[in-house]
Amino acid sequence: MSSISVGVLGATGLVGQSFILLLSSHPFFRLTTLGASPASAGLAYSKAVENKWKQSTCIPSSVQAIKLHECKPEHFSSCQIVFSGLDADVAGDIESAFRAANIAVFSNAKNHRRDPSVPLLVPLVNPHHLSILPHQRSLHTPPLQKGFIVTNANCSTTALVVPLSALQSRFGPIDQVIVTTMQAISGAGYPGVSAIDILDNVVPYISGEEEKMEWETLKILGGIAEDGKSFDNHSAHPIKVSASCNRVPVHTGHIMTASVKFAKHPPPSIDEVLKAFDEYVPPYLPQSHPSFNASASDLSKIIPTAPPKAIHIHTTPNRPQPLLDRHLDKGASVSVGRVRECGVLDVKFVVLGNNVAIGAATSSVINAEIALARGYI
Amino acid sequence: MSSISVGVLGATGLVGQSFILLLSSHPFFRLTTLGASPASAGLAYSKAVENKWKQSTCIPSSVQAIKLHECKPEHFSSCQIVFSGLDADVAGDIESAFRAANIAVFSNAKNHRRDPSVPLLVPLVNPHHLSILPHQRSLHTPPLQKGFIVTNANCSTTALVVPLSALQSRFGPIDQVIVTTMQAISGAGYPGVSAIDILDNVVPYISGEEEKMEWETLKILGGIAEDGKSFDNHSAHPIKVSASCNRVPVHTGHIMTASVKFAKHPPPSIDEVLKAFDEYVPPYLPQSHPSFNASASDLSKIIPTAPPKAIHIHTTPNRPQPLLDRHLDKGASVSVGRVRECGVLDVKFVVLGNNVAIGAATSSVINAEIALARGYI
Amino acid sequence: MSSISVGVLGATGLVGQSFILLLSSHPFFRLTTLGASPASAGLAYSKAVENKWKQSTCIPSSVQAIKLHECKPEHFSSCQIVFSGLDADVAGDIESAFRAANIAVFSNAKNHRRDPSVPLLVPLVNPHHLSILPHQRSLHTPPLQKGFIVTNANCSTTALVVPLSALQSRFGPIDQVIVTTMQAISGAGYPGVSAIDILDNVVPYISGEEEKMEWETLKILGGIAEDGKSFDNHSAHPIKVSASCNRVPVHTGHIMTASVKFAKHPPPSIDEVLKAFDEYVPPYLPQSHPSFNASASDLSKIIPTAPPKAIHIHTTPNRPQPLLDRHLDKGASVSVGRVRECGVLDVKFVVLGNNVAIGAATSSVINAEIALARGYI
Amino acid sequence: MSSISVGVLGATGLVGQSFILLLSSHPFFRLTTLGASPASAGLAYSKAVENKWKQSTCIPSSVQAIKLHECKPEHFSSCQIVFSGLDADVAGDIESAFRAANIAVFSNAKNHRRDPSVPLLVPLVNPHHLSILPHQRSLHTPPLQKGFIVTNANCSTTALVVPLSALQSRFGPIDQVIVTTMQAISGAGYPGVSAIDILDNVVPYISGEEEKMEWETLKILGGIAEDGKSFDNHSAHPIKVSASCNRVPVHTGHIMTASVKFAKHPPPSIDEVLKAFDEYVPPYLPQSHPSFNASASDLSKIIPTAPPKAIHIHTTPNRPQPLLDRHLDKGASVSVGRVRECGVLDVKFVVLGNNVAIGAATSSVINAEIALARGYI
């Protein structure tokens, strides 16, 4: 496969750094162009990021000398794809401008998530939502040939919807979900949370987070109209989601407890639920795709950043834990443990998702790999 | 009021240290006798506890020179009351021996909590359960004149049942409770949790804790039979409780998210719920007590360790927090915040209880004050 | 003693909050006026500080309703004293303006510390440096009747110089000091250190801190010229100080290891050093003062915020610790432990100072009490 | 190169786990046999270590099913080498028994470190000390053909002596070293430090640690007598070392500040010191070895676990940091930063060593590779 030139917007932030680590060693995406704020434009990446590089590996040597540009499409004309780690206060307009310039945008920002023509894509859950892209392009005057925006979901939502998708696809509609999150500080970016606020503490509130989890879950787990022009947001059978979001003194890894009630009566047994988690395969490719039945090893050439299995099941009772399990599959899978009956709803379990990997940059990169495989790029 | 001589069992442990701080400055309990393991017997308290004293205040000077005894009733013959901070592996038999020696035992250990003749007493919730004590005494041969055992509840349960009691007493039976705890390390005693296990981490499991919360809530919030000889454990209208218990890197203060469904339809409004929390007054004394209508200041002479109000309501959205709020009212009250509608059950909120104060020693001391006021000592 | 009206500049910051706690219960300073940034001016204190109040006790009720003013002298005309917790970027000019308005300024900011007419005052060490104040006033045109500026020292320096002063006053000049600090996050203010930078980490650098420790020590431990018009900055026998400053994930309490070499040969024994620490009495008052020989209890009426003893000596080998010892004497004293021989210099020991108490607001308040007792106010 | 069969003693502990990760993917050491306490003997490794595995990667699949043996030589007869992660309370006798059984023992335990015939080997510093092994073997009756014991050093000492060795080999003897460590919790093993003792805290004492640093440095940096029968422990020019050791709430990575005084006058400049660090090459092989002048890539076939460079120099002022730099070179190198003049001694700098890698298992594995290359196995 020939390489595809890609860029990163917001390259000096935490999400941007994750993009750079993923893309600098990617088998067919070739990272050529980096965008940052006007203040950093003109600087070499290693210089601009000097005191902001928070990764435990060094800046990739291939990236250190790349000069930063302002986030304007004209500087990215060689790129077919840009990945956006921009802050929400600027992401909306910039991403729209790149789309208008016929560049495919995979964004981690929240700005376009509620747009009814933009897929809110968790790669382990709803890749088929990409089928709205022709409609999205058609809304522009003149219609776009190549440009589009795909967003990934909030980091907490992403972790939650993976096991929910496994349950829904096996057992049919879910009625109710009560979820309590314990979220890592890296989810708030850098500098983000003050150490004074979180050391030896839990903060039982993250602005806007509960609303995101409650709303995004419906869009992601919902369907798409037959004409491919709208999402149904699960309106035929809305899932009631009640989220309580907390910040905890953990670097990376959002862990959450979830209780679920099925529409189906009687509900599946714990063994059936475990089996559904274990056997869950994300719908990366449509049935019509020549690689639909490809072996895992062949599939990994097409979607190389996807994890071997979407759900990692833990059977020891005190797992998953952020410290020990956040790096499983390089953070691309979701961990589930403590699957057991709930005394109020039907079943409850613990979910752990790596908020800086599958909860952020890793999702965007897999989304791009899938979009490429599905022919949208 | 003349002073009453009291002792502490398990005086060198974390709970024992809390007892010592509370009792060394108590207006009418006079701390005279300390019990510890045979290995420490004979040592002065300050010597025995030298490297185990984990409080941010010094060992009270009045206690430093007290010689430690083995936990045998003959060494506590001058005491009318003992407070037990013993570990569960020894607490059961020792506490029974003290009861048999006609000493009133107020225990923080779990051993006797499920005994159908022992009150599981949260002082802010069910002081009236003390009325089973004559029955408890009568079970011994010959019947005891003075001895009895009262236990306080698990530290997480204690925090939860206070707002539940406020709701139940105002709105009638509660149907369902889903609770997720984030519990402090001090709840596991000393040395307890290894730093390797909890720094930069959350452990989504505490052995036996969820079962305790689910069971103890029923006993505490339930009634007592008319003949005063049994608890009904809420059997007429059992509350379904589903608990998920987590350990977080916080020194002190168990914080939890709770969702509640009422039997009553329609459920109370958020304003009504807030009012119920705000106006909740624990039933410290029976209506027949001469001080039943005493002013707060007069009541504080009888039950001096009780908090001014049982529930401290927080209105800023990011409160309560363990770091900032665990010392309110010296940890004797319970904090509630973020009271709002739950998209699945009726109402949800955040609860914070100081696990080493109202969740442990402080409860026992208030229990003793109430038992004295009610004439059981 | 009649009360003296005082104000606080920078009242909403961390240092300002400490001032408010100290002053709201002060026996003779009466807190009447609060200053903050123009953005907060006009708001009630409790409103302005709502999400920034980081203390574990509530905002004092007497302060909650006080309206904030801009930090201009005309709003503080009723105050004889202002305490400044201003940030360095604005403190310099504002404090000068208050001095020019004949208000006594006790500042925690660094701006005026190197001014050769401003005392750099650690109340446990060099209160006699106040004697430069007439000279400071005389430098203004026309000379000031009442206004002056007194600064306290950097929080790390403050902890270090207390034991050094005890040694110098007993054994004569010190030749060399090598000190390595482990400093709490609250020393950087709020929001200050990002949790991402310090959780599970040590940062071996604090900008400007080492220079401050190395320079301030000379000014503080040095003398004052006979004409009272200049500090000698220990120029006759300069102490060589080498500091290495580190940030650690601790809320409060700067702990440091120090090695000291004396000019005196042979050096004092460890027992003599311990005795010097134990017997050290700060020169709060001049010999000529009527209360110079006052009992501790009488002195505590004049300088009520001073600690009972300046140095708290720890004899258990693993003490002092920030977590356990930072609140001794409400943080007004300095802890010293592990006094032992140094294989390279003469003696080494561990020092702990509460950076938000004696290292900040508490020092300023004691300085004001001393200045009042010495007749400068 | 054909593979060499090796075993691990104390395989379930933290150090044992590190050995297993290093050896399960080693190019020529083949891990075949695991030893643990009698209680674990007979269990499969994955079963025995289930709740004690504290690594962020899974147990290597090749190791999971290996049955644990008691630590007796008869179970390890197929092994030429054993690596010991045993606790000090049992390591001494067990390691001696393995040596007597003609097995080469590379130990992380402290028991034999002071034995005058046992090399205290930091692979980046004194591999030539292996030349005492013939003497060590000769002390047994009858002399051993193959068995010997090599220990690595204390984790803090190991980090310190690498830059000291670079300085000594370039500039001649060092006179004085003052070092203050901030050590990670993993240095104390599991469960090791209680979270109650270290969260939000620094403990300024680690039993025996300062003595180890002060003594081991002399043995490691000293020479070996011409007859190869004794170490001189730097007796001709003893380095005065003064250590202050502290525990900090960091998972992994011991960071320390060091001040150094040279015998040489004038001392080297900062630039010369930096150059010495940068150009330092450990004496892995003797000049007589055929690979002495091998390229780095060829050398890495012989000593594959050694880092590309022994010292990683940091130039940004706030580095190295444990969180960000402990995994450089998989923890096999030592980080040095902030090299600058010391106002008291000559030069000061910051050192960071990964205590579970180069400070423990990694050192032992490199030691074994060197011993093999030098022909002792």
Side-chain angles (χ1 to χ4, degrees), chain C residues 62-339:
Chain C
S62 61
V63 178
Q64 292 186 13
I66 296 181
K67 286 275 185 301
L68 289 169
H69 291 282
E70 284 193 59
C71 292
K72 296 181 177 173
E74 62 253 39
H75 302 306
F76 292 74
S77 55
S78 71
C79 298
Q80 289 181 264
I81 298 171
V82 294
F83 295 95
S84 166
L86 292 168
D87 286 341
D89 55 347
V90 298
D93 290 346
I94 292 178
E95 292 171 5
S96 294
F98 274 77
R99 174 174 60 187
N102 267 314
I103 295 174
V105 178
F106 291 88
S107 170
N108 190 60
K110 68 180 178 188
N111 307 58
H112 293 282
R113 286 183 191 158
R114 285 174 179 253
D115 184 321
S117 72
V118 170
L120 182 59
L121 211 68
V122 175
L124 309 182
V125 173
N126 60 333
H128 52 291
H129 281 194
L130 288 170
S131 63
I132 205 162
L133 291 181
H135 171 64
Q136 184 189 137
R137 286 170 171 162
S138 73
L139 295 174
H140 289 257
T141 310
L144 296 168
Q145 295 303 310
K146 297 179 169 178
F148 62 76
I149 294 174
V150 167
T151 70
N152 50 346
N154 173 272
C155 44
S156 296
T157 310
T158 298
L160 177 64
V161 293
V162 176
L164 293 186
S165 174
L167 296 177
Q168 178 177 275
S169 64
R170 177 70 57 100
F171 306 116
I174 290 167
D175 260 1
Q176 301 177 338
V177 178
I178 293 188
V179 60
T180 292
T181 68
M182 294 161 276
Q183 300 184 219
I185 53 176
S186 52
Y190 183 80
V193 182
S194 165
I196 288 176
D197 281 332
I198 201 65
L199 183 62
D200 185 21
N201 202 15
V202 170
V203 178
Y205 179 67
I206 301 173
S207 179
E209 195 81 356
E210 296 172 356
E211 293 78 4
K212 284 185 210 165
M213 289 191 79
E214 295 174 359
W215 188 88
E216 292 184 359
T217 298
L218 293 175
K219 182 167 178 180
I220 296 164
L221 291 182
I224 190 163
E226 289 205 4
D227 63 4
K229 294 187 176 173
S230 61
F231 299 109
D232 68 13
N233 295 338
H234 231 289
S235 53
H237 197 111
I239 307 172
K240 288 184 187 170
V241 180
S242 174
S244 294
C245 293
N246 303 277
R247 187 77 68 194
V248 293
V250 166
H251 271 291
T252 300
H254 290 351
I255 187 168
M256 56 198 75
T257 63
S259 286
V260 171
K261 186 171 168 56
F262 297 91
K264 179 179 189 291
H265 287 285
S269 70
I270 296 303
D271 280 348
E272 289 169 326
V273 166
L274 280 165
K275 199 153 178 281
F277 288 153
D278 188 48
E279 296 175 356
Y280 178 64
V281 177
Y284 296 123
L285 299 177
Q287 289 197 324
S288 57
H289 194 282
S291 296
F292 178 72
N293 283 316
S295 68
S297 117
D298 282 347
L299 193 66
S300 77
K301 288 173 191 150
I302 303 173
I303 313 175
T305 307
K309 286 186 67 170
I311 297 178
H312 191 113
I313 300 177
H314 297 258
T315 54
T316 34
N318 63 359
R319 302 289 279 268
Q321 296 176 17
L323 181 68
L324 298 177
D325 299 314
R326 60 193 170 201
H327 296 307
L328 288 173
D329 300 327
K330 297 182 183 169
S333 61
V334 166
S335 278
V336 170
R338 301 204 70 211
V339 182

Side-chain angles (χ1 to χ4, degrees), chain A residues 14 51 54 185-186 188-201 248-251 323 326, chain C residues 14 51 54 185-186 188-201 248-251 323 326:
Chain A
L14 282 194
N51 281 307
K54 300 297 171 189
I185 53 175
S186 53
Y190 183 81
V193 182
S194 165
I196 287 176
D197 281 333
I198 202 63
L199 182 63
D200 185 22
N201 202 15
V248 293
V250 167
H251 269 291
L323 180 68
R326 60 193 170 200
Chain C
L14 282 194
N51 282 306
K54 300 298 170 188
I185 53 176
S186 52
Y190 183 80
V193 182
S194 165
I196 288 176
D197 281 332
I198 201 65
L199 183 62
D200 185 21
N201 202 15
V248 293
V250 166
H251 271 291
L323 181 68
R326 60 193 170 201

Side-chain angles (χ1 to χ4, degrees), chain B residues 21 32 34 45 54 72 76 82-83 91 147 155 172 181 226 229 238 247 271 277-278 280 304-305 313 324 362:
Chain B
L21 288 180
T32 61
L34 301 178
Y45 185 69
K54 300 298 171 188
K72 296 181 176 172
F76 291 74
V82 294
F83 295 96
C155 44
T181 68
E226 289 204 4
K229 294 187 176 172
R247 187 77 67 193
D271 280 348
F277 287 152
D278 188 48
Y280 178 64
T305 306
I313 300 178
L324 298 177
T362 301

Side-chain angles (χ1 to χ4, degrees), chain B residues 194-269:
Chain B
S194 165
I196 287 176
D197 281 333
I198 202 65
L199 182 64
D200 185 22
N201 202 16
V202 169
V203 178
Y205 179 68
I206 301 173
S207 179
E209 195 80 356
E210 296 172 356
E211 294 76 5
K212 284 184 210 166
M213 289 191 78
E214 295 174 0
W215 188 88
E216 293 185 359
T217 297
L218 293 175
K219 181 167 179 181
I220 296 164
L221 291 181
I224 190 163
E226 289 204 4
D227 64 1
K229 294 187 176 172
S230 61
F231 300 109
D232 68 14
N233 294 338
H234 231 288
S235 52
H237 197 110
I239 308 172
K240 288 183 186 171
V241 181
S242 174
S244 294
C245 293
N246 304 278
R247 187 77 67 193
V248 293
V250 166
H251 270 291
T252 300
H254 290 352
I255 186 167
M256 56 198 74
T257 64
S259 286
V260 171
K261 186 172 168 55
F262 297 92
K264 179 180 190 291
H265 287 284
S269 69

